[in-house]
Amino acid sequence: MLVIDPEECIDCGACEPECPVAAIYPEGALPAHWEPFVRINSEISDGLDAVNTLVAARVTEVPPPPIEDYRGVTA
């Protein structure tokens, strides 16, 4: 997994086509349904314990739907 430090990013867009799952968006173009993950991703540099804590809080706050509901969903 490639992690891009938002403080060092120069918004050149070179990383976007390199992402195999199309998960990189220009600042301001992030789809609303991905917004909660910005904070989670920003904690990666603090280690997985920090990320796991935020993910657990997110799942408690908004439980994911059954897996059947994810079929056919695109970013």
Side-chain angles (χ1 to χ4, degrees), residues 24-48:
I24 300 174
Y25 296 90
E27 190 173 359
L30 182 69
H33 65 276
W34 293 124
E35 185 63 38
F37 296 95
V38 171
R39 181 165 180 238
I40 292 169
N41 291 340
S42 70
E43 297 295 322
I44 288 175
S45 64
D46 291 337
L48 289 181

Side-chain angles (χ1 to χ4, degrees), residues 17-75:
E18 298 303 319
C19 180
V21 293
I24 300 174
Y25 296 90
E27 190 173 359
L30 182 69
H33 65 276
W34 293 124
E35 185 63 38
F37 296 95
V38 171
R39 181 165 180 238
I40 292 169
N41 291 340
S42 70
E43 297 295 322
I44 288 175
S45 64
D46 291 337
L48 289 181
D49 288 339
V51 172
N52 289 339
T53 298
L54 289 171
V55 169
R58 171 73 181 161
V59 169
T60 299
E61 180 183 324
V62 182
I67 193 69
E68 297 83 30
D69 292 347
Y70 283 110
R71 291 190 180 127
V73 173
T74 59

